[in-house]
Amino acid sequence: MNDVERVGGKNASLGEMISNLASAGVSVPNGFATTAQAYWDFLEYGGLANRIADTLKELDVEDVKALAETGKKIRGWLMEAPFQPELETAINAAWEELSADNQQLAVAVRSSATAEDLPDASFAGQQETFLNIRGLENVKHAIKEVFASLYNDRAISYRVHHGFDHGEVALSAGIQRMVRSETGAAGVMFTLDTESGFDQVVFVTASYGLGETVVQGAVNPDEFYVFKPNLAAARPAVLRRTLGSKAIKMIYGEEARAGRSVVTVDVDKQDRQVFCVTDEEVESLARQALIIEKHYGRPMDIEWAKDGDDGKLYIVQARPETVKSRANQNVMERYLLKEKGTVIVEGRSIGQRIGAGPVRIVKSIADMDKVQPGDVLVTDMTDPDWEPVMKRSAAIVTNRGGRTCHAAIIARELGIPAIVGCGDATEKLQEGEEVTVSCAEGDTGRVYKGHLNFELKTNSIDSMPSLPFKIMMNVGNPDRAFDFSSLPNEGVGLARLEFIINRMIGVHPKALLNLDEQPREVRQAIDKRIAGYGSPVDFYVSKLVEGISTLAAAFAPKKVIVRLSDFKSNEYENLIGGSRYEPGEENPMLGFRGASRYISDNFRDCFELECRALKQVRDVMGLTNVEIMVPFVRTVGEASRVIDLLAENGLKRGENGLRVIMMCELPANALLADEFLEYFDGFSIGSNDLTQLTLGLDRDSGIIAHLFDERNEAVKKLLAMAIQACKRNNKYIGICGQGPSDHPDLARWLMQQGIDTVSLNPDSVLDTWFYLAEGA
């Protein structure tokens, strides 16, 4: 790594890993590199240094056409210039040593700029990479192409905007043995979450064929999150899996000359429906990533490849991660959408910001000058050539690409919200229409019709005053877990299982348990959802495990209280296949829900799947910070039967430290608090249901909505009874209902009553915290 000035960050890093990490289990294919001095000597030998400097002195990089013409001219000079004799001789000798007897050895010829991949700037994708180059003459041609790529449009523009002197940046060409990932898979991984900066995970992306399709953003890859502490503890560590469409792959072409050495082909349909790497391979990659991160002492951005011939996993590049690791972790930025709107398209969100403006659909790089400052750039796929125009945009929306492609990296660095992999954005969005691009709602980014109101909130964590009780959060959406965990908190007071079922599963559990009985169109919809998983039931349990374990990992070792599913019958009916299994009640709010459902004969098999998932998270993955909450328990008899049923399914209260909490949300729960507490380790007050059932009003009815107030004296009397009963019995007492989020004065009253925790919606944590501190 002391040779960055000689061979650039990329090649110095490859040499560092080959020299120091091979014995630790990091596999890097061998190769050789030309030096920066060789590049300077090449320019001097051809008399090019002054010509280039004089030409660039006159250039205005904001003039897109002039930039393109100048870059093309300089690249032409470099391609025509001969190598100096010393470099020619050195390349010949190095090639002989690398190729040995195999003159048809396939190599990658990559660029490594001497100012590239430094911790304070990312030159990601600025220069070229040429794959499957064979034969000495083709290697030399590719090296020249690499030298010339220092003057492509994006590189010239990037240097100007970041204050790098053109004359101070040199190129080193790295010639590295190819990994046969054309018959395997390849991708990118980061040793932190690229969106939130959460550093306890490795984020891995994977697709078939050569890794360039993932890097470029030409393909929507499979994605995985791996929990670092579980890797260290040798426990199952894959938290989440997202099946990518993987529609195309890059493979070797017939010719071995730069520009024609690879071709892109369609991936077979059945291969798209399965993950291209196994959990074991993902964990093996993550282990290599952690060795690299530890060696470098900083978050890393790593490219990897699986050789389809020998089945081994190789690291082909590693560089410092340059966006999230530089962010000021003490200042919290929160973009909040203030109104709802019509969603036009969805994709993967990049960054956590919101932007709005008129749509500009750009078909090719030739039309880039159409984009004016404040426009929303919409295109099939950007690449780093587009960097000059990306920075003008209020937001970026693409049909293709994953969260680790170059365009995503550049968008993050520029601080511009981007949604990638939408599929059909260029068709669904209309030229000139006003839209709002929101990346502030989790993994899914949404383009809304019109200009919606949004705001930016900033707070310094350093300024948070202390409180006499704990503030927890209501977090249902695993997509936001890593992000929300950076807020000041004492864990999750309410994680709604139905949120995970709705967003990540979308199918009624009965329909999965009885797949063979479903009508053809329902089966087709379910088959599409369960792609990549072994069976319908595996899919249901695995997705629950993924959602719960993501929340648990994000907040570990703090408590995460997971509420068992509390869908009403009308909500279950809306899931795929649900209409066959739900009773069609007049008043679902007071019907077949909560504990009554779990202990009934016709839902028990579904409930057992929830238990199986929770047992997997706690006992197998070791995330024992997960606690269980039982909703809507009408009678003490129901309480007893649910506790027995949990124990029958391997979730015995007290075993392996398991606490079981009850939702206190019916007047009966507060009135018979001592009796209910015999079966539970405490209460979490659900103020929404408690209020509607105390005041006898439907909280969904607009006609009487003005009467709904958790601060009503009758409600407060019940709240006080519940709190006092828990204190008497030395049991946990918290509140997870909406009330304290909406009414900070109610949160203050609860604090005065001696409540242990108040669980708030994430968007109200900071405001309520400061409000309470003022009166504490």
Side-chain angles (χ1 to χ4, degrees):
M1 277 314 294
N2 300 326
D3 295 324
V4 172
E5 288 183 10
R6 295 180 63 204
V7 292
K10 200 177 290 177
N11 286 335
S13 186
L14 288 168
E16 177 78 11
M17 290 189 291
I18 288 169
S19 306
N20 297 301
L21 298 182
S23 59
V26 177
S27 303
V28 181
N30 209 349
F32 64 90
T34 66
T35 63
Q37 192 57 50
Y39 172 80
W40 298 127
D41 292 348
F42 166 68
L43 291 189
E44 289 301 327
Y45 186 73
L48 293 176
N50 292 334
R51 276 168 78 192
I52 291 170
D54 293 343
T55 305
L56 290 175
K57 215 178 284 176
E58 308 299 319
L59 177 66
D60 172 11
V61 294
E62 298 302 329
D63 183 339
V64 177
K65 285 202 167 121
L67 175 63
E69 287 164 11
T70 304
K72 188 178 179 184
K73 183 162 62 177
I74 294 172
R75 293 193 298 275
W77 296 341
L78 287 159
M79 290 307 297
E80 288 161 15
F83 285 135
Q84 65 275 33
E86 299 89 340
L87 178 55
E88 187 97 27
T89 304
I91 292 170
N92 293 349
W95 176 254
E96 277 305 310
E97 191 179 337
L98 180 66
S99 63
D101 298 331
N102 181 10
Q103 286 304 307
Q104 283 309 299
L105 177 74
V107 294
V109 182
R110 298 176 181 273
S111 61
S112 181
T114 54
E116 182 181 36
D117 297 335
L118 300 180
D120 60 344
S122 165
F123 280 64
Q126 300 258 310
Q127 280 77 51
E128 300 296 344
T129 291
F130 300 98
L131 304 174
N132 187 32
I133 305 301
R134 298 165 192 260
L136 180 57
E137 290 312 307
N138 287 330
V139 168
K140 288 179 186 173
H141 180 83
I143 291 171
K144 218 174 269 188
E145 292 266 19
V146 161
F147 286 178
S149 73
L150 191 57
Y151 294 96
N152 59 36
D153 305 352
R154 62 186 181 243
I156 295 170
S157 168
Y158 188 94
R159 288 196 292 274
V160 170
H161 288 121
H162 285 78
F164 286 95
D165 185 328
H166 297 295
E168 288 178 8
V169 182
L171 258 192
S172 159
I175 294 81
Q176 185 179 25
R177 181 176 69 75
M178 284 284 288
V179 175
R180 285 298 300 266
S181 63
E182 68 151 356
T183 55
V188 181
M189 54 184 171
F190 289 82
T191 61
L192 45 57
D193 174 39
T194 52
E195 300 310 306
S196 65
F198 181 69
D199 64 2
Q200 292 303 297
V201 289
V202 179
F203 177 53
V204 181
T205 65
S207 198
Y208 295 113
L210 306 179
E212 210 61 12
T213 54
V214 179
V215 175
Q216 290 170 352
V219 73
N220 299 337
D222 295 335
E223 295 180 355
F224 306 86
Y225 282 103
V226 186
F227 191 40
K228 292 178 183 177
N230 273 29
L231 277 182
R235 287 183 178 272
V238 178
L239 295 176
R240 292 189 67 180
R241 306 160 190 81
T242 303
L243 188 71
S245 54
K246 307 182 295 295
I248 56 169
K249 65 177 176 178
M250 187 181 283
I251 60 171
Y252 290 177
E254 294 299 312
E255 293 189 49
R257 185 176 171 82
R260 294 190 291 279
S261 55
V262 291
V263 293
T264 301
V265 297
D266 290 339
V267 172
D268 291 342
K269 207 159 196 166
Q270 62 267 32
D271 288 341
R272 298 181 200 183
Q273 301 300 307
V274 294
F275 291 103
C276 63
V277 282
T278 64
D279 278 10
E280 291 74 24
E281 287 168 335
V282 171
E283 289 180 0
S284 174
L285 285 167
R287 275 191 284 274
Q288 292 198 54
L290 291 189
I291 295 166
I292 295 166
E293 180 181 53
K294 185 179 177 188
H295 180 76
Y296 285 87
R298 57 179 307 118
M300 298 296 286
D301 165 357
I302 299 161
E303 290 178 31
W304 63 271
K306 175 189 173 183
D307 193 308
D309 292 359
D310 65 19
K312 290 181 183 169
L313 299 162
Y314 295 91
I315 302 301
V316 293
Q317 204 178 116
R319 53 180 163 252
E321 191 279 339
T322 58
V323 180
K324 276 296 169 186
S325 51
R326 271 191 299 164
N328 183 349
Q329 299 296 335
N330 283 328
V331 177
M332 315 237 29
E333 266 198 1
R334 286 284 175 281
Y335 280 78
L336 301 172
L337 206 53
K338 303 296 284 181
E339 55 183 322
K340 287 189 164 42
T342 305
V343 177
I344 311 174
V345 289
E346 294 184 343
R348 305 291 279 168
S349 61
I350 306 299
Q352 291 158 343
R353 302 178 179 219
I354 300 174
V359 167
R360 285 289 164 264
I361 297 173
V362 179
K363 293 278 187 345
S364 78
I365 198 163
D367 304 326
M368 279 203 308
D369 48 0
K370 281 169 54 178
V371 180
Q372 300 303 309
D375 286 350
V376 173
L377 169 62
V378 180
T379 185
D380 182 52
M381 180 179 89
T382 64
D383 64 40
D385 280 328
W386 296 54
E387 193 259 344
V389 78
M390 288 165 78
K391 69 166 67 64
R392 293 183 202 164
S393 310
I396 298 160
V397 183
T398 70
N399 292 340
R400 294 192 282 161
R403 280 176 38 200
T404 56
C405 68
H406 280 320
I409 292 169
I410 300 297
R412 275 189 211 101
E413 189 168 295
L414 295 171
I416 294 169
I419 302 178
V420 299
C422 294
D424 52 6
T426 49
E427 294 163 33
K428 288 198 170 170
L429 296 170
Q430 304 298 312
E431 179 72 18
E433 75 171 320
E434 286 283 333
V435 295
T436 302
V437 177
S438 172
C439 295
E441 300 165 79
D443 277 0
T444 303
R446 297 180 177 89
V447 181
Y448 292 98
K449 205 172 191 59
H451 199 306
L452 303 183
N453 276 332
F454 63 89
E455 68 172 331
L456 169 61
K457 286 188 170 184
T458 55
N459 276 94
S460 168
I461 294 180
D462 294 341
S463 64
M464 302 304 286
S466 60
L467 292 174
F469 67 99
K470 295 174 179 176
I471 284 194
M472 300 177 86
M473 280 192 286
N474 301 332
V475 182
N477 184 355
D479 289 357
R480 301 298 307 275
F482 300 146
D483 179 27
F484 289 148
S485 69
S486 64
L487 282 165
N489 71 84
E490 285 295 333
V492 176
L494 170 63
R496 297 179 179 92
L497 216 54
E498 59 270 17
F499 207 109
I500 296 169
I501 294 168
N502 225 344
R503 286 184 73 105
M504 296 174 68
I505 296 171
V507 184
H508 196 290
K510 278 283 189 192
L512 292 167
L513 284 161
N514 303 286
L515 186 62
D516 295 342
E517 298 171 9
Q518 304 310 311
R520 187 163 162 270
E521 66 277 9
V522 173
R523 271 206 74 145
Q524 285 176 335
I526 293 175
D527 285 343
K528 200 172 174 184
R529 294 243 173 184
I530 66 175
Y533 291 84
S535 72
V537 169
D538 282 348
F539 164 73
Y540 192 81
V541 174
S542 295
K543 281 298 176 193
L544 285 177
V545 169
E546 288 175 28
I548 298 164
S549 66
T550 299
L551 291 164
F555 291 88
K558 298 174 199 164
K559 301 290 186 196
V560 173
I561 303 174
V562 176
R563 187 177 74 185
L564 298 165
S565 63
D566 192 26
F567 277 131
K568 291 90 182 161
S569 54
N570 60 325
E571 293 166 335
Y572 260 125
E573 198 174 337
N574 289 331
L575 296 174
I576 294 169
S579 56
R580 297 185 69 180
Y581 300 104
E582 293 301 322
E585 299 173 287
E586 284 295 318
N587 191 346
M589 187 74 81
L590 299 179
F592 191 39
R593 62 179 287 203
S596 305
R597 200 177 257 274
Y598 314 149
I599 61 179
S600 72
D601 291 339
N602 68 349
F603 192 79
R604 193 171 297 181
D605 52 354
C606 302
F607 180 66
E608 285 169 0
L609 301 183
E610 294 182 28
C611 294
R612 197 190 303 176
L614 282 157
K615 189 169 167 54
Q616 169 89 6
V617 172
R618 284 183 47 85
D619 297 351
V620 181
M621 297 183 77
L623 292 162
T624 52
N625 60 322
V626 168
E627 300 189 337
I628 293 174
M629 181 145 67
V630 182
F632 225 76
V633 186
R634 291 180 166 100
T635 68
V636 176
E638 279 193 343
S640 170
R641 290 175 67 190
V642 167
I643 290 295
D644 288 347
L645 192 56
L646 284 168
E648 285 169 29
N649 283 284
L651 295 167
K652 189 173 181 183
R653 186 178 150 215
E655 218 166 69
N656 199 9
L658 174 61
R659 287 202 315 178
V660 183
I661 313 293
M662 187 184 102
M663 282 284 276
C664 177
E665 53 191 335
L666 293 91
N669 300 152
L671 292 166
L672 296 178
D674 292 307
E675 288 84 346
F676 279 106
L677 285 169
E678 287 179 30
Y679 296 96
F680 295 96
D681 296 295
F683 282 166
S684 183
I685 296 165
S687 55
N688 298 358
D689 272 344
L690 187 62
T691 302
Q692 76 168 344
L693 294 170
T694 303
L695 300 179
L697 53 83
D698 178 355
R699 72 182 200 228
D700 292 337
S701 168
I703 304 164
I704 49 169
H706 62 286
L707 294 171
F708 187 94
D709 191 339
E710 296 92 331
R711 296 165 298 180
N712 179 283
E713 285 306 315
V715 178
K716 285 169 81 172
K717 197 160 194 173
L718 290 168
L719 291 174
M721 288 172 72
I723 294 169
Q724 287 157 17
C726 288
K727 293 288 174 194
R728 241 187 344 267
N729 289 281
N730 200 24
K731 302 271 177 114
Y732 165 81
I733 178 68
I735 185 167
C736 60
Q738 184 71 23
S741 295
D742 290 345
H743 309 297
D745 57 325
L746 176 63
R748 179 177 288 167
W749 179 83
L750 290 162
M751 179 171 82
Q752 291 160 354
Q753 296 298 307
I755 202 160
D756 295 338
T757 70
V758 171
S759 194
L760 301 167
N761 294 339
D763 60 2
S764 62
V765 165
L766 297 173
D767 291 344
T768 308
W769 192 301
F770 283 112
Y771 174 87
L772 293 173
E774 285 164 18

